[in-house]
Amino acid sequence: MPSESTVADEITRLYGLDPSAFVAERNALAKAWRKAGRKDDATVVAALRRPSAIDSAINRAARTDPAVAVAWRAALDRAQRAQGAAIGGASADELRVALAALRSATAALADGAVRAAGGDAKRLDIANALQAMSLGAADQVVAGLLGSAPPPEVDPFAGAPDPPERPRPAPVRGRRGALAIVAPADPDDEARRLGLIAERNRLASLVETCRAAVSEADDARRLAEAEVERARHALSDAQSRLAAVEADLAAGS
């Protein structure tokens, strides 16, 4: 750990290590920097959390084959943009194509992470982690630094139009002519309602996408079954012809 190395250099080095070596290396670096008078840098390094086995495997895969990580990040961005467009009323065709591309890119990155982890034992955990990844965490993946910092929070309503101002309700007269004031709608309730509408639209789009995927899978299954049936007929015919030839040969001998 050269004394002139930067914090970024050392963070990159630390998150390329096996998790079992991370804590000892981090603590040794923080101690050395405090001794060298780099107290602020030492504080930053000391606060770094140990990456999980999954984080580490994904980081090593991204560093081994950066192009795969970049392609996965691009596919994730495309899928999220297509999903937003579908929620807004656009055709789900682009969403289906984007999700198919994302599945392929995720499988490629997961394969690399599984190799880095040393076997298939963590495949499901790795795939689940990648499928649940936000764009902020995806940027960490591309840099090979997953786990070095919490991903930025995502505002689910970012870019959405502000709800229209509701007219102030007219006062209602009570039985004795007194004015009874109707309380305005709670802004939190309105935000929650809009959130539920957005979630309903998202899920409706997802249902349509899943239905299309099931239909495509059914078509593929039917084609496969037809191909199997043709192969069986061909096999039966070939066996019959072989038996006839062998019978002719036996008769001739």
Side-chain angles (χ1 to χ4, degrees), residues 2-85:
S3 59
E4 67 274 9
S5 61
T6 67
V7 173
D9 290 338
E10 291 301 331
I11 291 176
T12 299
R13 180 181 70 85
L14 289 171
Y15 281 89
L17 299 173
D18 187 276
S20 62
F22 181 87
V23 173
E25 287 290 319
R26 178 199 63 193
N27 293 348
L29 175 61
K31 181 178 180 180
W33 275 358
R34 287 193 190 98
K35 187 175 181 179
R38 299 177 59 174
K39 295 183 179 180
D40 290 342
D41 293 343
T43 299
V44 171
V45 168
L48 296 174
R49 72 172 183 87
R50 179 179 180 269
S52 68
I54 301 302
D55 289 348
S56 179
I58 294 173
N59 283 337
R60 282 180 282 172
R63 293 176 186 222
T64 300
D65 198 340
V68 170
V70 170
W72 169 78
R73 168 63 173 78
L76 178 61
D77 183 39
R78 178 186 178 187
Q80 292 196 3
R81 285 188 285 106
Q83 184 181 63

Side-chain angles (χ1 to χ4, degrees), residues 127-147:
N128 288 339
L130 290 173
Q131 289 167 4
M133 203 79 70
S134 67
L135 288 177
D139 289 334
Q140 294 180 23
V141 171
V142 172
L145 298 174
L146 184 60

